[in-house]
């Protein structure tokens, strides 16, 4: 920086005049004083603008004022700005040419503060006869450093070492003033010293670059312990900014590649529960990080060890068998600890389930009506088993190992599955299927229905069960409609005939090699109408055992009518029932009874004996049997 210019002849003459003027004013007693104040210290951030205020105090009014700003360079001053009245100028050839300005309050503004701006600035104010005053400000410059970078060591560090190892280097650049670096482990500052010791210390270096900014490097020397394997280390750079604000920046986290000897060994088996045909994986895990050697073995006969080939710390055996059960283990040799072995073993059980055995072995062919038929299903396993019998793959018929059929029927025919499982072992199961065949003569079950379609018709549907499936034939005089449906051991015949005669005899027969059965039926034509009081009825007379039942029903009905007549006659004689024409009930109308028939749906089972009778032998009772006056009812 250039020094102050030497005064010329004109300036000397001006100074003498000014001195004489001050002397005259002092003599007359009207001279004043000028005092200037500026902040002692102003802090600025590199690259940003800063203001330095200058406040003059003049004891007497004066129109003669001038302001000058200087920078101090060692013991000399260099002017950078001058203002006299309304004219002002920024001095050329200085570091501040084009970078400063002064407002009307004499405040100096410096744009784009540089590191070299850290110096003393002087403000001088003159007020003519009152004289002049000046004050200085120290400008402090601050620059924020870059985020610190971590350069960790690549070598593994053993806890078995005696002296600390070089763990990592922390570096931060372009800070001013020189910042500080602190090391942390898991958010806790390390109390590291700069003195070399046997536990932990740091070595730091500060370098001022050509641009005047600082680069700080700090190397951490540390003797790790086993617990440090999971710790996170990092460094922090702390620095100060204007207005006394302390700030910090942190580096990335890193872990120390710690090696430590083995202390414990764990022997693992996958899957944890084994069964025959599984693939078994054995793994040996040590809690150390130092180099080790693994050995797998099996104990035979309770004492002899057999070495097993392995690949590192694992070994796999495919398709294990029950004979593979036994004691297995692994052994670890830590290479950092001489002659130090670690051992772990387990007893392995291979679960199994034998093939299913059935008693009797079959074939399972039975006769309809057989009693106390049993089929047992058993399978031996390494643990408790559970048995379930199902029919047609979904219907459970037994939770025991024995399938019991107290009385064999045709409905017992079909496919059965015996499934044996070991509940405690997933997917350990076996199953076997059998087919039960029931043979025997046919059985028959028939339903009848009378209906009208272009005249009265009758439907006889019979279901024959037998094995082999029976051959079914139906006979009738009229031209019938006959349909046959067959499903395994069941044959269904559907006979439809028109009722063109008063009496019709029907017959259906089913036969196989074991026998035959016949269903005979006599149908009376009668009349057909639809009754609103109940389902239609059919005048039918069944063959075989149904005739005796019909006779019993007729006799019971006659007895009930006789009892009812006697009760009514007794009440009439006692005067309990007054009679008159108004109480007579007209029962000569036959429309309400002539057309009542029985209608049985095909899907319902109705006993052959269920018929509605309209008199003995199917004949209607004439109205004259009711008496001349009809049936009396109580007068209202």
């Amino acid at each position: 920086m250039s020094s102050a210019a030497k005064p010329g002849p004109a300036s000397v003459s001006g100074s003498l005049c000014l001195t004489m003027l001050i002397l005259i004013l002092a003599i007359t007693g009207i001279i004043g004083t000028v005092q200037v104040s500026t902040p002692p210290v102003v802090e600025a951030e590199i690259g940003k603008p800063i203001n330095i205020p200058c406040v003059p105090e003049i004891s007497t009014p004066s129109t003669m004022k001038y302001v000058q700003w200087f920078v101090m360079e060692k013991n000399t001053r260099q002017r950078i700005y001058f203002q006299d009245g309304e004219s002002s100028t920024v001095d050329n050839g200085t570091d501040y040419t084009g970078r400063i300005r002064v407002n009307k309050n004499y405040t100096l503004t410096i744009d784009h503060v540089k590191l070299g701006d850290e110096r003393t600035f002087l403000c001088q104010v003159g007020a003519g006869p009152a004289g002049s005053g000046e004050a200085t400000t120290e400008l402090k410059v601050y620059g924020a450093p870059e985020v610190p970078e971590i350069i960790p060591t690549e070598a593994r560090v053993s806890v078995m070492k005696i002296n600390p190892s070089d763990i990592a280097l922390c570096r931060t650049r372009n800070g001013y003033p020189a910042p500080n670096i602190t090391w942390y482990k898991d958010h806790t500052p390390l109390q590291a010293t700069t003195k070399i010791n046997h536990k932990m210390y740091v070595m730091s270096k500060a370098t001022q670059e050509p641009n005047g900014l600082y680069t700080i490097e700090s190397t951490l020397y540390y003797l790790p312990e086993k617990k440090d394997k999971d710790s996170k280390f990092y460094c922090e750079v702390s620095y100060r900014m204007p207005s006394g604000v302390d700030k910090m920046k942190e580096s990335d986290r890193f872990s120390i590649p710690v090696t430590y000897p083995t202390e414990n060994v764990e022997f693992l088996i996958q899957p944890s529960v084994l069964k025959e045909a599984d693939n078994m994986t054995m793994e040996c895990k040590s809690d150390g990080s130092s180099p080790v050697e693994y050995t797998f073995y099996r104990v035979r006969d309770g004492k002899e060890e057999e070495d097993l080939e392995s690949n590192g710390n694992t070994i796999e055996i495919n398709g294990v068998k029950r004979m593979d059960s036994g004691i297995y283990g692994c052994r670890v040799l830590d290479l950092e600890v001489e002659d130090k072995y670690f051992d772990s073993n387990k007893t392995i059980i291979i679960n199994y389930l034998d093939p299913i055995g059935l008693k009797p072995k079959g074939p399972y062919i039975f006769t309809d009506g057989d009693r106390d038929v049993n089929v047992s299903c058993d399978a031996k396993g390494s643990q408790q088993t559970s048995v379930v019998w199902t029919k047609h793959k979904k219907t459970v018929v037994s939770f025991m190992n024995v399938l019991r059929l107290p009385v064999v029927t045709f409905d017992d025919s079909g496919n059965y599955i015996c499934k044996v499982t070991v509940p405690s072992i997933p997917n350990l199961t076996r199953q076997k299927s059998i087919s039960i065949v029931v043979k025997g003569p046919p059985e028959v079950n028939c339903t009848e229905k009378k209906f009208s379609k272009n005249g009265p018709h009758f439907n006889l549907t019979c279901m024959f069960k037998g094995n082999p499936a029976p051959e079914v034939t139906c006979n009738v005089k009229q031209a019938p409609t006959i349909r046959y449906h067959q499903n395994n051991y069941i044959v269904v015949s559907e006979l439809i005939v028109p009722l063109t005669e008063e009496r019709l005899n029907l017959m259906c027969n089913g036969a196989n090699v074991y026998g035959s059965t016949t269903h005979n039926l006599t149908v009376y034509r009668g009349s057909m109408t639809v009754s609103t009081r109940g389902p239609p009825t059919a005048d039918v007379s069944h063959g075989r055992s149904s005739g005796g039942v019909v006779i019993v029903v007729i006799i019971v009905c006659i007895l009930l009518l006789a009892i009812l007549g006697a009760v009514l006659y007794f009440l009439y004689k006692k005067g309990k029932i007054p009679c008159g024409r108004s109480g007579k009930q007209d029962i000569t109308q036959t429309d309400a009874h002539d057309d009542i028939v029985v209608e049985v749906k095909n899907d319902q089972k109705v006993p052959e004996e269920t018929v509605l009778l309209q008199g003995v032998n199917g004949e209607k009772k004439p109205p004259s049997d009711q008496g001349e006056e009809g049936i009396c009812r109580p007068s209202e």
Side-chain angles (χ1 to χ4, degrees):
M1 306 197 50
S2 61
S3 60
K6 295 183 180 181
S11 62
V12 173
S13 176
S15 299
L16 291 175
C17 292
L18 182 60
T19 303
M20 292 180 63
L21 179 60
I22 293 172
L23 181 60
I24 293 172
L25 290 176
I27 294 173
T28 59
I30 60 174
I31 190 171
T33 59
V34 177
Q35 293 184 351
V36 177
S37 62
T38 59
V41 177
V42 174
E43 296 179 339
E45 184 177 352
I46 294 175
K48 294 185 178 180
I50 189 64
N51 298 320
I52 304 177
C54 177
V55 181
E57 293 183 2
I58 303 173
S59 61
T60 58
S62 174
T63 58
M64 298 178 60
K65 291 183 181 178
Y66 69 91
V67 176
Q68 298 183 99
W69 275 97
F70 298 89
V71 293
M72 304 301 295
E73 187 68 27
K74 295 183 180 180
N75 294 327
T76 62
R77 64 178 64 179
Q78 180 185 23
R79 195 181 72 182
I80 57 176
Y81 176 83
F82 176 78
Q83 177 183 334
D84 184 6
E86 297 297 328
S87 81
S88 63
T89 181
V90 175
D91 290 281
N92 294 322
T94 72
D95 291 340
Y96 300 96
T97 302
R99 253 193 333 130
I100 61 172
R101 60 185 182 277
V102 178
N103 64 11
K104 63 181 180 179
N105 294 324
Y106 316 129
T107 297
L108 173 66
T109 299
I110 305 174
D111 292 328
H112 305 293
V113 172
K114 300 178 181 179
L115 181 61
D117 295 334
E118 188 174 66
R119 54 177 63 180
T120 301
F121 289 81
L122 184 146
C123 176
Q124 184 185 75
V125 178
S132 65
E134 60 186 35
T136 60
T137 295
E138 293 291 332
L139 180 61
K140 297 291 185 181
V141 176
Y142 296 89
E146 298 175 359
V147 174
E149 63 174 327
I150 283 289
I151 306 174
T153 182
E154 296 181 357
R156 302 182 67 86
V157 183
S158 174
V159 298
M160 304 296 290
K161 295 185 67 174
I162 300 176
N163 295 316
S165 300
D166 178 356
I167 300 303
L169 171 68
C170 175
R171 179 189 294 133
T172 181
R173 302 176 185 273
N174 298 324
Y176 189 88
N180 295 318
I181 290 179
T182 304
W183 287 91
Y184 284 80
K185 183 183 79 169
D186 297 330
H187 305 287
T188 301
L190 295 174
Q191 303 299 323
T193 66
T194 57
K195 185 178 180 180
I196 298 176
N197 56 68
H198 295 291
K199 178 59 181 176
M200 174 180 57
Y201 60 92
V202 296
M203 300 291 289
S204 300
K205 181 177 68 173
T207 303
Q208 190 167 21
E209 304 296 341
N211 59 5
L213 302 179
Y214 285 95
T215 295
I216 307 298
E217 294 181 342
S218 177
T219 302
L220 175 65
Y221 292 84
Y222 187 76
L223 181 61
E225 301 176 2
K226 182 179 178 179
K227 62 182 180 181
D228 293 326
K229 64 184 178 66
D230 299 320
S231 296
K232 296 296 182 181
F233 292 79
Y234 62 96
C235 68
E236 173 193 277
V237 57
S238 57
Y239 55 97
R240 188 177 182 186
M241 295 302 287
S243 302
V245 177
D246 292 325
K247 293 188 176 184
M248 49 78 67
K249 293 181 180 180
E250 295 179 350
S251 70
D252 294 334
R253 270 65 171 168
F254 70 97
S255 298
I256 299 177
V258 180
T259 63
Y260 43 90
T262 299
E263 294 179 355
N264 298 285
V265 171
E266 185 178 11
F267 184 58
L268 303 176
I269 302 294
Q270 291 293 336
S272 57
V273 179
L274 289 159
K275 61 182 183 299
E276 283 191 315
D278 282 348
N279 295 332
M280 177 176 65
T281 300
M282 294 181 288
E283 182 181 8
C284 193
K285 297 180 67 175
S286 63
D287 63 353
S289 63
S290 55
V292 295
E293 290 182 354
Y294 297 95
T295 303
F296 288 86
Y297 62 89
R298 177 183 180 181
V299 178
R300 288 191 178 276
D301 301 327
K303 55 182 180 179
E304 182 181 352
E305 287 190 6
E306 175 188 355
D307 290 339
L308 304 175
E309 294 184 3
S310 63
N311 182 16
N313 69 324
T314 61
I315 184 172
E316 184 171 345
I317 301 177
N318 296 323
V320 295
K321 300 178 178 59
R322 66 186 71 181
M323 62 186 66
D324 293 326
S325 299
I327 299 175
Y328 291 79
C330 72
R331 189 172 290 111
V332 174
L333 172 62
D334 195 308
L335 300 180
E336 283 198 10
V337 183
E338 295 182 1
D339 300 328
K340 183 70 172 180
Y341 285 91
F342 300 88
D343 190 282
S344 178
N345 59 67
K346 286 184 178 179
T347 298
I348 298 176
I349 298 176
I350 308 300
N351 292 280
Y352 61 89
L353 182 62
D354 287 335
I356 291 176
L358 296 174
K359 292 182 181 180
K361 295 184 177 181
Y364 304 98
I365 300 174
F366 306 110
T367 302
D368 182 31
D370 285 351
R371 293 181 176 274
D372 297 328
V373 171
N374 297 325
V375 180
S376 66
C377 171
D378 293 291
K380 293 183 180 180
S382 57
Q383 298 192 38
Q384 183 67 37
T385 60
S386 174
V387 181
V388 61
W389 282 92
T390 58
K391 185 177 182 182
H392 303 311
K393 297 183 179 181
K394 57 183 179 180
T395 304
V396 176
V397 294
S398 176
F399 286 102
M400 302 175 62
N401 67 321
V402 178
L403 175 64
R404 302 184 187 278
L405 302 177
V407 179
V408 176
T409 66
F410 289 117
D411 292 335
D412 293 325
S413 298
N415 294 321
Y416 294 78
I417 295 177
C418 171
K419 186 175 183 180
V420 182
T421 60
V422 179
S424 60
I425 310 298
N427 303 320
L428 186 54
T429 179
R430 288 184 184 271
Q431 67 180 37
K432 203 163 190 177
S433 62
I434 64 171
S435 178
I436 292 181
V437 177
V438 180
K439 295 184 178 293
E443 298 174 354
V444 65
N445 183 24
C446 297
T447 60
E448 305 94 14
K449 182 174 70 172
K450 201 172 186 180
F451 66 96
S452 178
K453 183 177 182 182
N454 298 326
H457 285 73
F458 189 78
N459 180 306
L460 175 63
T461 301
C462 292
M463 178 186 293
F464 291 88
K465 293 182 181 180
N467 192 4
E471 293 183 3
V472 178
T473 58
C474 293
N475 296 327
V476 67
K477 291 182 179 180
Q478 286 82 351
T481 300
I482 302 178
R483 302 187 183 98
Y484 295 97
H485 312 279
Q486 182 171 342
N487 181 17
N488 295 330
Y489 59 91
I490 297 176
V491 178
V492 178
S493 66
E494 185 178 10
L495 177 65
I496 301 174
V497 295
L499 296 178
T500 58
E501 300 178 3
E502 288 298 325
R503 176 173 175 170
L504 184 65
N505 293 319
L506 304 178
M507 183 275 294
C508 283
N509 175 265
N512 63 14
V513 296
Y514 292 99
S516 65
T517 184
T518 303
H519 182 78
N520 295 301
L521 180 66
T522 300
V523 182
Y524 294 89
R525 185 172 185 272
S527 61
M528 290 191 61
T529 59
V530 177
S531 172
T532 60
R533 292 181 297 170
T537 61
D539 290 335
V540 296
S541 176
H542 295 275
R544 303 175 70 187
S545 63
S546 61
V549 177
V550 171
I551 294 173
V552 173
V553 172
I554 292 173
I555 295 173
V556 171
C557 290
I558 292 173
L559 291 175
L560 291 175
L561 289 174
I563 293 171
L564 177 61
V567 172
L568 292 176
Y569 181 78
F570 176 77
L571 294 176
Y572 170 73
K573 287 295 184 180
K574 293 294 183 179
K576 301 296 183 180
I577 303 177
C579 270
R581 299 300 297 177
S582 62
K584 185 176 182 180
Q585 186 177 13
D586 187 3
I587 62 174
T588 61
Q589 300 178 5
T590 62
D591 292 345
H593 297 284
D594 288 350
D595 299 330
I596 298 177
V597 298
V598 173
E599 180 177 356
V600 181
K601 294 183 179 180
N602 290 343
D603 58 350
Q604 296 176 337
K605 294 184 179 179
V606 179
E608 296 177 355
E609 294 80 12
T610 304
V611 295
L612 177 61
L613 301 176
Q614 297 178 342
V616 179
N617 296 327
E619 297 179 356
K620 293 185 290 185
K621 198 172 185 180
S624 59
D625 292 342
Q626 306 295 337
E628 289 184 3
E629 298 298 325
I631 298 176
C632 294
R633 61 182 178 183
S635 60
E636 298 178 358

